[in-house]
Every structure is written in structure tokens, then in C-alpha cells.
Amino acid sequence: MNEQLAQMDQAAFRHVVGHFASGVTVITTNHDGVLYGTTASAVSSLSMDPPMMLACLNRSSSTHDHVVAAGRYAINILAVDQGDLAAHFGRKGADKFSGVSHTLSEQGLPLIDGALATIECVVAETAIGGTHTVFLGEVTAAQARPGDPLAYFRGRFDALERTSLETEAYDRVRLRVLGRGTPLGEPIAVRELAAIVQSDEPSVYNALVRLEAEGLVSREPGGAFVPTPITASLVENLYSARETIESGVIQQYLASASDATIAEITRLAEDLAAREPRNSEELDAFLEANLNLHCAIVALAGSRRLVSQFRQLSISAAWRDTYRSEVWQEKLGHPFIPELTAAIAARDAEEAARVVRAQIAFVVSAAAHMIDQKGGAL
């Protein structure tokens, strides 16, 4: 009975821990001129003073024994396109470096070419935990390059943003709520919505909790979620947050932006200015192009998380049925975009931030007018 219970606990533990998204590394070492490596996700920074890293290796791994013998190891943090290497080094094998592009550091440690970052360590201490040895390493060298990390989530190697089913569910649920695919005044059936957005119920539930925090859904006394009407106050709050992010990025990063980045932003702005939506479908495309332009500006900060946060503040899907409004037409004809393009091309951060603030003030005012025309809520 106890043995069976232990097996069940291990399976449950593996399932639960798999919900923790982690980076993927290959731990490498060089012992007596022979190279060894194994995939590991139980790796983390430990100390800043002195710089130290923690890495856990299964004692059944041959790499484990040679790290002990060599007293040194390198942590190769894999990039998003190196999932095949994660699988390769995760298998048993004699010469794992055969056919793998790598270089030897000054300390003789194998560093995998194309890795997002490499950190070389000298073993300072070790500790035993269950089936693993915990290596506490003092960092002797470290380097990194631009790129995105490979992640491990629910038994899969993938891009970090694609590994989270909750992120996908959130995006789909948010779009459906704002597009009024979930009617106002009616409780949202989580199971039915999960089937529609092709996700699992816990992820959809968590998405609705996030939307509740954003004010896009509310909860009834019995616990059911109900779509919240979009009011002028809600629009003002969301766009105020967008203004803070975009104007802040412009003032901090515009001056140092590359010519290629400026050219891409200019291209997106020219594409947007050329659009004249004549129906709700074309308005969808216009609003998406507008959002892409502003996201490209926010991307000057070099933070995908900030861009994602900015994009999540959009409620453009809610305007689909208001495209005939005279206020909308006035907005479409307003020279905000040419003014913003000119300011960005000139790297005039103050002017670009001013135009962003003016555009958002106009949109908030226009939205308030359209919402008033609809009876005070959409």
C-alpha cells in the first residue's frame, strides 16, 4: 500500500510541478579532455555577492559524476530555436557533442553555439536532495546575447509565450468578451466558453478572473461571471494606462532607436494613414493596424512583456459596431498619425509624446461621445 501511494504521489507531483514554466539549460563540463552535457531545468541564480548559481543534477547522470570530478561546469541557457538540443542532451548517449556546434572557453568548458547565455562556474559546495545533487557554483565568467528563451511547460519545450495555455485562453476570452460574443447581462458559461475558445476550463476561469481585475467582467453573488458594460470611465482608465506606457517609452528610448526601427514604425504609420474603413470588417483591420503601430513604438523599450501589457489595454474590439459614428470619421481624418510619424522620424521625443497624449485625449473624448450615443454603455 505504501509503495503504491508513493508511486501515485510521484505521478501527481510530476503533473503539478509541470505547471511551473521554467527555462531550459544544458549543463556541460570537461573532464580529462572529454566533454559531457545534460539538459536541466532546475537551475537558478543564488547570490549576487559573490555571484553564484545553483544547478541540480540527477546522480544517475554521467555528467553529474564528471562535474564532481572536474569541479567546474557551464550553464548554457538555450534559445527558443534550440528545442532539438534540449531533447538531444536529455537522452542517454556516449558522445553528445558529436555534430553539436560549440566552442571551448578559456577554462576549457564547452559552450553551445547559439545559446541565449552561458555562465561558467566553479563548484563551491554541494548538497544532496533526494535523487539529485545540488551544485552551488561561484560564477567565473558570463555572457549573453539578444533573443528569446526556450521554456519547459507541461512536458513540452517551446517558446515561453506559447507554452502557457492560460495566456492563449486569456487572449481569446478577452476578444470574445469585448466583441460581445458573451452577451451583456447574461452569466458566462465557463464550460461552453472553453469549448468555443478551444481551451480548458481552469484556463478560461483564470482568464475571467483577470478580466474581472480589468473591469471587463464582474461577478454575481453566486460566483458567475457577467460581462461588464464599457463606460466612459472604464475607457479613460485603460487609455490613461496606455498613455503612461507609450509616452514613457518614447521619452526614454526614441533617441537611441535604430534607423531600421524608425523606418519600420514609419512604414506602419503610412499603412495606417492610407486606410479608410467603410464597414465593420475594414474597421477591424484599421484598429488592428493602429494597435500594431503603437505596439511597435512601445517595443522601442525592448520588453516583450511591456508590449503584451500594452496590447492587453486595448478595447478596440468594442468599437466594431460604432464605425458609422461621425465622431469616428472625425478621428480617422485627424492628422495625429502624420504628426506622430514626423516626430518619430525626427527623433523628437517631446513632440512625439505630446502627440500621443493629444491622440489619446481625443480618443477618450470620442469614445465618451459614442458611449453616450449608445445610452451610456456599450
Side-chain angles (χ1 to χ4, degrees):
M1 175 66 78
N2 290 338
E3 181 179 353
Q4 182 181 7
L5 180 60
Q7 292 174 350
M8 291 177 61
D9 288 345
Q10 288 179 13
F13 178 72
R14 183 184 298 274
H15 172 71
V16 172
V17 171
H19 286 68
F20 177 70
S22 60
V24 182
T25 74
V26 172
I27 306 299
T28 59
T29 194
N30 183 344
H31 182 216
D32 291 339
V34 180
L35 307 184
Y36 300 89
T38 187
T39 302
S41 58
V43 175
S44 70
S45 59
L46 180 64
S47 167
M48 294 297 292
D49 186 19
M52 296 187 72
M53 294 292 296
L54 176 154
C56 301
L57 295 180
N58 195 311
R59 293 199 302 279
S60 67
S61 164
S62 61
T63 300
H64 167 279
D65 295 341
H66 293 288
V67 168
V68 172
R72 294 179 180 272
Y73 62 92
I75 301 169
N76 297 264
I77 301 175
L78 298 186
V80 67
D81 59 350
Q82 294 182 309
D84 57 335
L85 290 180
H88 172 75
F89 280 95
R91 293 189 290 264
K92 300 288 185 182
D95 183 7
K96 292 186 179 179
F97 282 88
S98 177
V100 174
S101 181
H102 65 280
T103 57
L104 294 181
S105 71
E106 292 182 359
Q107 301 177 55
L109 292 172
L111 307 180
I112 297 174
D113 293 348
L116 190 64
T118 57
I119 305 170
E120 298 175 67
C121 301
V122 173
V123 177
E125 299 177 46
T126 61
I128 302 299
T131 58
H132 285 59
T133 296
V134 182
F135 293 93
L136 309 183
E138 292 188 3
V139 177
T140 58
Q143 58 184 338
R145 68 174 182 84
D148 297 317
L150 181 69
Y152 184 74
F153 182 71
R154 292 186 180 178
R156 295 173 53 207
F157 297 118
D158 210 335
L160 187 60
E161 69 273 16
R162 292 198 300 271
T163 61
S164 175
L165 297 178
E166 290 190 356
T167 298
E168 296 178 2
Y170 168 80
D171 290 340
R172 295 171 183 173
V173 170
R174 192 177 194 278
L175 183 63
R176 188 159 185 86
V177 168
L178 285 175
R180 294 304 177 234
T182 53
L184 286 173
E186 296 183 15
I188 297 172
V190 174
R191 178 175 297 179
E192 294 178 9
L193 183 56
I196 292 171
V197 301
Q198 298 180 327
S199 185
D200 56 73
E201 292 182 39
S203 295
V204 169
Y205 180 87
N206 292 342
L208 291 170
V209 170
R210 290 178 62 180
L211 294 183
E212 181 184 14
E214 295 175 23
L216 298 180
V217 301
S218 58
R219 203 169 328 196
E220 295 184 329
F225 294 98
V226 178
T228 301
I230 295 175
T231 64
S233 176
L234 175 60
V235 171
E236 183 175 2
N237 289 339
L238 292 174
Y239 276 86
S240 176
R242 288 186 63 175
E243 177 191 321
T244 298
I245 293 173
E246 188 170 8
S247 61
V249 167
I250 287 172
Q251 292 171 335
Q252 180 68 27
Y253 297 102
L254 179 58
S256 60
S258 68
D259 291 341
T261 299
I262 296 296
E264 175 61 14
I265 292 175
T266 300
R267 184 193 67 78
L268 292 172
E270 291 174 347
D271 172 70
L272 178 64
R275 294 177 180 269
E276 296 183 3
R278 293 161 294 185
N279 53 51
S280 59
E281 288 73 22
E282 291 181 359
L283 179 63
D284 281 344
F286 172 86
L287 293 172
E288 183 64 19
N290 179 71
L291 181 58
N292 288 339
L293 168 63
H294 291 285
C295 284
I297 294 172
V298 173
L300 291 172
S303 170
R304 300 186 74 177
R305 179 169 295 182
L306 189 62
V307 173
S308 177
Q309 180 182 0
F310 181 84
R311 182 175 286 276
Q312 289 169 6
L313 292 168
S314 170
I315 54 172
S316 59
W319 308 132
R320 182 177 292 109
D321 296 328
T322 65
Y323 75 94
R324 295 187 185 278
S325 168
E326 294 179 359
V327 179
W328 238 164
Q329 297 306 315
E330 181 184 352
K331 174 189 180 303
L332 299 181
H334 200 281
F336 286 125
I337 298 305
E339 290 176 5
L340 180 58
T341 307
I344 288 178
R347 299 177 189 272
D348 187 340
E350 291 301 320
E351 174 62 11
R354 183 200 67 78
V355 176
V356 165
R357 290 192 293 268
Q359 182 184 27
I360 287 179
F362 186 89
V363 171
V364 170
S365 175
H369 182 74
M370 286 188 289
I371 289 171
D372 183 64
Q373 289 181 334
K374 291 284 187 175
L378 291 177

